[in-house]
Amino acid sequence: MTLFLASEIARIYDASGRHEMALKFFERIAKTYRKENWPAILSSVLTSSVRCAELLDRRTPAVESLFELLSDKITPDLAQRQVLWDRLMVLLRQPGADPSSTKISIDMDSVSSFLQCGVQFKKANAYVGSSTAFQVTISGSTLDSPARAFRLSRMRVAFSNPRMDQVWNDAGEEDWSLALISGAAKENSAIQWVDCTNLRLMTDPDVAMSEEAGSLPGHSRMIHATDVDLRLAPGCKKVFEGSLIPTESEDLKIVSVSLVLEMESTSLSMIFRVGDRHEDTSTRREKLGFTLLDGYGEQSTIRVIPRQPNVTLTFKHSPPGYLDEIYPISIDITNEEDNDVEGTVEVEFRASTADSSDPSSTVFTDPAGFDEERLKLTDSALSQSGSVSLDIGVVQAHQAVSRQLWLRATRNVGERLLLASLNYRVRGTPPQPAAALTASAEPQSFRKAETLRIPFARGLEARFEATFRANSAAAGWGEPGVGGGRFVRELSETGLLSEDGWDVGLVRHEGWALSQSGWCAGPWDVEVRRWRLVEAAASSLPAGVEVHVRELALPNQDAVTVWKSGQNTQFMSHVTVSYDFDTDLANLSVGTVEVEWRRKSSEGVFGHDAWVRSLILVPPLDLTAKRLWAHVDLPDDPRVGQPFALRYAVQNGTLELADLQATVEPSDAFVFAGHKQCGFRVPPLAGRPLVFNCVPLTAGRCALPRLRIVRRRTAAAAADGDVSAAADSARASTSSLASTTAGGARASVTTAEGDAADDEAMPVYATGGCGRDGELVVFVKPSIVF
């Protein structure tokens, strides 16, 4: 009843010529009838509104009412709607008295419109820096809408982030080809797909309208734009597919879509405020254009999240690595993105147990410095750096680049860590270059870190066997012909037995045969071109000590040889140590073994062709003064039934008279002639031979008769507190234990029966091998060979 009375009042105002009041009543009545969906009554109200607005020369309400009358719901007759369309076009072309009427905006969601607009993103989520597709669909409300075909001037898609706004201008070409969903080119297709992704930067044509449409004010006057076909025909649905590149993490929303129709004197904007619509989750999304969109309802908002570009770091190497070698490793950077990337790789190489820098782990970008001269330098002279920076340059899309590094680990075996950190940024994303389209956004930087664990083992191992050369001229202490001993100064027996103070000034010369066994301890073969025992520097030796090394040349010793994994190679050196007679050296480092080598691969030389140097420390020699000892020469070719002489050389290296007792134990394999038990004395710094004649009884490996030599000490001397003698006895006992070395043999020496303080064991050295329990053995051949 209220609306009826209001409409009657409006008609009375109209009839009486008060068109201003009538227009106000008609506008209020139209809102209610539009909301209550009374199209027949609304048509009469809108017609009256057009008449009043024209009489008042108010073009804006006239255009708004005529535009709503074009809806098929209000004006079902097509011919009548065509007349209304022509009337609207004439009105838009006429200049208006009111300057504000040159720009007319119509809220398409608040009126009964003959056009419909739908928007949707392809996915609900997007990534920063990645192209994201969206679609805007414009169609008529029925198959015969709009009443006549027309061409829009431009379309504007406004987003919640105004930097993402896009303007699609009309191309203005009559022969514009339309891409159809079927792939054919037709003008009046039911669905026409328009590509709007070829964007460029241009000046924003309507900044003021952007603020009215809901975009944030004050944004840049540069906007993304392209030229497309904006013709709208009756019954044709047009799908405009665009794309954008989000530059930050946010919830990005399509706020509005504006259809702009510009005439000579008026600009009509048809605004669809899609951002204010309620989400419809009951309608399945359509297959629009060439893309099948997922989900339900209108997807006008996407969540933009940062995404790590798909750039991978991979390592190529051949573990385990060897200590001291130049270990090559290749770092491959693979770009699986559609855009180029550029950056640097920071590499740190250290032990897994090290918290910071590790001087034993070095990384190089160029191993050329490891040349012949550089091999002569010590580790401290080499530049130590555990980290490097590599410039990877530009990695093209779907391409890979490789960078080579060389590692060197020294000193300690174990696991090393290679920490690689790739710092890179995206250069652009086709078809919209980010640098060109988003002037205010800098390329985002990313970081990708990878950790590689590399085991390092010793490539070369060595075993050393030192044999005391008691029978050599440089180490003996006897008269000529018995041990070959010599002294720096000749001493007479009178001088040694004199009660006056004396300084003998003697120098000991000890000879050692040092057997070296080297082998490849890792799984990879190596090439060795030099194995050399280097004597210790004079500055590292105690005062008055001299060390001299003489290599015993072996066949092809200096040739480059390939050492297979586990292969043993033997080397021999003679070491002479000279020191003061009254000095005891418990442990003396005589030098190091210097090895020049490199790893060998199946293709040839592994990695880089530079030779590397490893230093192997020789275990220290026990040079505790040997006070009393004996040496035996074993027969070279004993045969059954043929006698041979077994000669012992008993040496006294002290300045005291040695009272000794020798006992020979019988053997089932030999008969011998000589004293079974005898006592004798050996003067200071002198020697005495013991000779036994033996006859082998059986063939094969036979144990020789065991010889026990002990030093007899009187109980009175021990009771008088002969401290110096007791100390000598202790040192002699220590010497007998420490002098057991591989490579030679030592007879098992036991103490005589009685108190250990009275009898002291003497070590016996031999040039041959030893059997079980340290017994001396020889191989006896049969007398008759069949």
Side-chain angles (χ1 to χ4, degrees):
M1 182 60 68
T2 303
L3 293 177
F4 175 74
L5 293 177
S7 62
E8 288 299 320
I9 295 173
R11 278 193 292 270
I12 293 174
Y13 278 130
D14 187 16
S16 62
R18 300 181 64 179
H19 303 296
E20 182 74 27
M21 294 299 297
L23 185 59
K24 291 182 179 180
F25 273 92
F26 285 139
E27 289 178 351
R28 293 179 182 178
I29 295 170
K31 290 180 180 180
T32 304
Y33 283 129
R34 190 182 297 118
K35 182 178 180 181
E36 297 295 337
N37 197 15
W38 291 89
I41 303 176
L42 182 60
S43 175
S44 175
V45 174
L46 292 175
T47 302
S48 300
S49 298
V50 172
R51 185 178 62 254
C52 293
E54 289 179 342
L55 292 174
L56 295 171
D57 197 17
R58 295 181 59 180
R59 186 164 49 176
T60 298
V63 171
E64 291 176 350
S65 299
L66 279 174
F67 190 87
E68 193 168 4
L69 284 171
L70 291 173
S71 173
D72 61 286
K73 292 182 180 181
I74 300 176
T75 308
D77 184 55
L78 176 60
Q80 188 177 356
R81 284 189 279 118
Q82 291 176 347
V83 174
L84 292 173
W85 178 266
D86 295 339
R87 185 178 174 184
L88 176 63
M89 293 297 105
V90 172
L91 185 60
L92 291 175
R93 290 188 178 95
Q94 292 178 355
D98 186 4
S100 62
S101 64
T102 58
K103 290 181 181 282
I104 302 174
S105 300
I106 298 177
D107 188 353
M108 302 292 284
D109 293 300
S110 62
V111 300
S112 296
S113 172
F114 62 91
L115 292 177
Q116 294 179 347
C117 175
V119 298
Q120 50 192 358
F121 284 98
K122 184 176 181 180
K123 299 289 184 181
N125 297 309
Y127 297 102
V128 175
S130 298
S131 179
T132 302
F134 66 94
Q135 291 180 344
V136 178
T137 305
I138 304 296
S139 62
S141 58
T142 60
L143 292 178
D144 55 0
S145 292
R148 294 188 185 279
F150 68 100
R151 185 188 296 273
L152 294 173
S153 300
R154 63 180 177 272
M155 286 179 60
R156 183 188 187 95
V157 183
F159 295 86
S160 58
N161 185 348
R163 290 184 306 201
M164 299 291 107
D165 289 358
Q166 297 185 11
V167 172
W168 302 332
N169 298 312
D170 181 50
E173 298 181 7
E174 295 296 334
D175 57 347
W176 189 272
S177 60
L178 302 177
L180 309 180
I181 192 171
S182 60
K186 294 183 180 179
E187 286 266 339
N188 297 319
S189 172
I191 298 180
Q192 298 176 356
W193 179 79
V194 182
D195 183 10
C196 304
T197 59
N198 188 21
L199 298 177
R200 68 182 186 278
L201 281 177
M202 63 170 288
T203 304
D204 191 348
D206 40 14
V207 176
M209 192 194 72
S210 300
E211 300 179 5
E212 181 184 354
S215 295
L216 296 177
H219 65 280
S220 173
R221 297 187 60 88
M222 303 301 293
I223 196 170
H224 306 159
T226 187
D227 297 331
V228 295
D229 178 24
L230 294 181
R231 289 177 297 172
L232 299 179
C236 180
K237 179 184 292 187
K238 302 201 74 168
V239 179
F240 300 89
E241 182 165 329
S243 64
L244 54 88
I245 305 174
T247 58
E248 55 185 320
S249 300
E250 60 181 336
D251 289 338
L252 188 63
K253 187 175 186 178
I254 299 178
V255 176
S256 64
V257 176
S258 301
L259 311 181
V260 181
L261 181 61
E262 289 185 341
M263 307 304 287
E264 286 79 357
S265 59
T266 308
S267 174
L268 176 62
S269 298
M270 297 162 277
I271 303 175
F272 295 90
R273 300 184 185 278
V274 295
D276 298 335
R277 297 175 183 175
H278 297 289
E279 185 177 357
D280 180 15
T281 60
S282 61
T283 305
R284 180 73 182 180
R285 295 177 189 163
E286 301 179 83
K287 183 178 182 181
L288 304 178
F290 297 122
T291 305
L292 179 61
L293 300 179
D294 300 331
Y296 292 85
E298 189 174 58
Q299 180 69 46
S300 61
T301 304
I302 59 171
R303 172 158 293 182
V304 181
I305 58 178
R307 180 182 72 89
Q308 186 85 5
N310 195 4
V311 179
T312 59
L313 282 174
T314 55
F315 305 94
K316 294 181 180 179
H317 62 121
S318 300
Y322 287 161
L323 292 184
D324 298 327
E325 77 166 331
I326 304 175
Y327 185 79
I329 183 170
S330 175
I331 301 179
D332 295 340
I333 301 96
T334 305
N335 178 18
E336 299 180 7
E337 293 291 318
D338 296 330
N339 47 331
D340 301 343
V341 299
E342 62 179 353
T344 59
V345 180
E346 303 292 335
V347 179
E348 181 183 1
F349 181 55
R350 59 179 173 85
S352 58
T353 57
D355 296 332
S356 57
S357 61
D358 177 19
S360 67
S361 303
T362 313
V363 58
F364 303 92
T365 56
D366 183 12
F370 282 86
D371 51 16
E372 292 290 337
E373 294 299 324
R374 204 166 169 84
L375 282 173
K376 301 176 182 179
L377 301 178
T378 61
D379 289 342
S380 60
L382 299 176
S383 71
Q384 299 292 333
S385 177
S387 61
V388 296
S389 179
L390 300 174
D391 184 8
I392 64 173
V394 178
V395 185
Q396 303 294 332
H398 302 286
Q399 299 295 325
V401 298
S402 180
R403 292 294 181 267
Q404 191 76 19
L405 287 176
W406 284 266
L407 312 177
R408 188 168 187 257
T410 60
R411 303 181 189 174
N412 303 319
V413 300
E415 193 174 62
R416 265 36 176 218
L417 296 181
L418 185 70
L419 309 176
S421 177
L422 174 61
N423 301 307
Y424 64 100
R425 60 182 179 272
V426 180
R427 289 174 61 100
T429 303
Q432 304 182 70
L437 294 179
T438 310
S440 60
E442 295 294 332
Q444 187 175 5
S445 297
F446 300 91
R447 181 178 182 272
K448 188 178 184 65
E450 295 287 346
T451 301
L452 178 65
R453 296 179 177 271
I454 308 175
F456 276 85
R458 296 189 187 277
L460 299 174
E461 293 280 3
R463 185 188 302 114
F464 300 90
E465 298 178 357
T467 304
F468 178 62
R469 305 293 294 178
N471 62 335
S472 65
W477 305 102
E479 51 197 41
V482 184
R486 63 183 178 87
F487 303 99
V488 174
R489 183 187 304 170
E490 295 293 339
L491 295 176
S492 64
E493 184 176 354
T494 304
L496 289 176
L497 299 180
S498 174
E499 294 181 358
D500 299 332
W502 50 274
D503 181 11
V504 294
L506 299 181
V507 176
R508 292 181 184 270
H509 297 273
E510 290 192 9
W512 294 80
L514 186 61
S515 174
Q516 308 139 57
S517 177
W519 69 93
C520 176
W524 313 107
D525 298 344
V526 298
E527 287 184 335
V528 179
R529 74 173 181 181
R530 180 177 300 172
W531 179 288
R532 185 167 62 96
L533 177 61
V534 180
E535 60 191 37
S539 58
S540 63
L541 296 175
V545 178
E546 296 181 3
V547 176
H548 301 281
V549 174
R550 180 170 58 89
E551 297 287 341
L552 301 182
L554 300 176
N556 301 323
Q557 184 173 353
D558 296 331
V560 176
T561 58
V562 177
W563 288 14
K564 302 291 184 181
S565 178
Q567 174 183 341
N568 251 306
T569 305
Q570 300 294 328
F571 301 90
M572 184 66 70
S573 302
H574 189 274
V575 180
T576 302
V577 182
S578 302
Y579 58 97
D580 291 341
F581 184 83
D582 55 352
T583 302
D584 283 343
L585 299 176
N587 293 290
L588 178 67
S589 179
V590 297
T592 57
V593 172
E594 182 181 287
V595 188
E596 292 184 15
W597 61 282
R598 62 187 177 188
R599 192 199 292 203
K600 182 178 176 60
S601 66
S602 57
E603 293 81 10
V605 176
F606 177 73
H608 187 66
D609 59 356
W611 295 90
V612 296
R613 184 191 64 169
S614 294
L615 299 178
I616 303 175
L617 183 64
V618 177
L621 299 180
D622 182 9
L623 299 182
T624 303
K626 297 162 182 61
R627 305 301 178 178
L628 296 170
W629 73 92
H631 180 268
V632 60
D633 287 327
L634 299 180
D636 296 331
D637 188 23
R639 293 181 178 272
V640 176
Q642 296 182 3
F644 63 87
L646 193 59
R647 299 179 180 274
Y648 291 88
V650 181
Q651 303 288 336
N652 180 8
T654 68
L655 299 179
E656 299 178 351
L657 182 66
D659 190 3
L660 305 177
Q661 180 177 338
T663 304
V664 180
E665 297 180 355
S667 173
D668 296 336
F670 296 89
V671 293
F672 68 92
H675 297 286
K676 185 177 181 181
Q677 184 175 4
C678 64
F680 57 94
R681 292 182 177 181
V682 180
L685 305 180
R688 175 170 177 172
L690 292 179
V691 181
F692 300 92
N693 294 320
C694 300
V695 179
L697 301 178
T698 59
R701 289 177 58 88
C702 302
L704 290 170
R706 187 186 297 267
L707 174 66
R708 292 189 306 166
I709 304 175
V710 295
R711 183 175 185 179
R712 295 182 297 185
R713 303 282 304 280
T714 62
D720 291 339
D722 191 350
V723 179
S724 62
D728 289 341
S729 175
R731 284 193 296 267
S733 299
T734 305
S735 176
S736 65
L737 296 176
S739 298
T740 305
T741 57
R746 193 191 67 163
S748 177
V749 180
T750 60
T751 59
E753 297 179 358
D755 191 354
D758 295 335
D759 297 310
E760 174 184 331
M762 175 186 295
V764 179
Y765 297 92
T767 56
C770 61
R772 287 176 295 181
D773 299 329
E775 61 185 1
L776 299 177
V777 296
V778 293
F779 185 79
V780 180
K781 300 179 180 179
S783 299
I784 302 176
V785 180
F786 297 97

